[in-house]
Amino acid sequence: LPPPGTSSASCSSSMDELKVSARSASEIEAGAAAWNASLRPGGKLLLTLSDESLVAEAKLPLLMHDFVLRESTATMVCATKPGWEAGAKAPLKVTDDLVDEDDLLAADGLVPPEVPDDVGCSARKPCAGCTCGRAEGLAADAVDPSGCGNCHKGDAFRCGSCPYLGKPAFKPGEETLVLELTDDL
């Protein structure tokens, strides 16, 4: 039996190739799923259309039913069913080809900066001969960087660019908060 949307006179089927014809877009939409089911993976569909205007209308239903469009003429569309079944699995090829960033810089004629092993900057303050920019960053933070003047008041009064967001309120001029935890007993 021919798939829906085709005339019996124009349907000859084998698992490798299916030749069908259609006279309307509704026939193409109705037949696309059946045509896909009739073909084996890698099978070829030759769709002959009654009108040149149907070529553009035939492509979307075929794509929606997993066909790969190959070529089309004025009244014919050639498509293939993918070479795998639905739900097929294939292992991924994992490679350990890591790229060294220094090699990329060297390829562009740039030299990566030399960083001494004993940089000397602690987490709290910059070292005496600071070259990493921490000293300039701390100097900029000393002035109210957000410009709103409400940094000391607490999150309810701070602007969106305030560096103290999420920190408790403090007295103006004091950047650190010292908690005096005493026992009430």
Side-chain angles (χ1 to χ4, degrees), residues 5 54 63 80 92 125 144 153 160 178:
L54 289 176
L63 287 172
T80 58
L92 293 176
K125 65 177 195 172
D144 182 12
K153 293 181 180 179
V178 177

Side-chain angles (χ1 to χ4, degrees), residues 6 9 15 24 27 34-35 42 47 68 73 76 81 95 98 114 133 142 150 155 158-159 169:
T6 62
M15 293 302 281
S24 68
E27 283 185 11
W35 301 333
L47 175 61
V68 178
T73 63
M76 189 172 95
K81 184 175 179 176
T95 61
L98 299 178
E114 293 294 326
N150 295 323
D155 279 350
R158 293 176 178 150
C159 64

Side-chain angles (χ1 to χ4, degrees), residues 10-127:
S10 64
C11 179
S12 65
S13 173
S14 72
M15 293 302 281
D16 294 332
E17 187 174 290
L18 181 63
K19 295 179 182 178
V20 293
S21 65
R23 287 169 273 160
S24 68
S26 61
E27 283 185 11
I28 297 166
E29 291 174 15
W35 301 333
N36 191 319
S38 299
L39 287 170
R40 67 163 182 78
K44 186 175 181 181
L45 172 71
L46 297 172
L47 175 61
T48 305
L49 304 166
S50 62
D51 187 10
E52 290 180 16
S53 64
L54 289 176
V55 173
E57 293 180 39
K59 292 179 180 181
L60 183 60
L62 293 176
L63 287 172
M64 296 300 290
H65 287 90
D66 299 328
F67 282 101
V68 178
L69 300 176
R70 294 296 176 200
E71 58 187 71
S72 60
T73 63
T75 58
M76 189 172 95
V77 176
C78 178
T80 58
K81 184 175 179 176
W84 59 86
E85 288 290 340
K89 298 177 183 176
L92 293 176
K93 297 177 182 174
V94 180
T95 61
D96 292 329
D97 297 338
L98 299 178
V99 176
D100 183 17
E101 292 86 4
D102 292 341
D103 292 342
L104 290 175
L105 288 173
D108 290 341
L110 302 172
V111 178
E114 293 294 326
V115 179
D117 292 335
D118 56 344
V119 173
C121 286
S122 69
R124 299 201 179 256
K125 65 177 195 172
C127 61

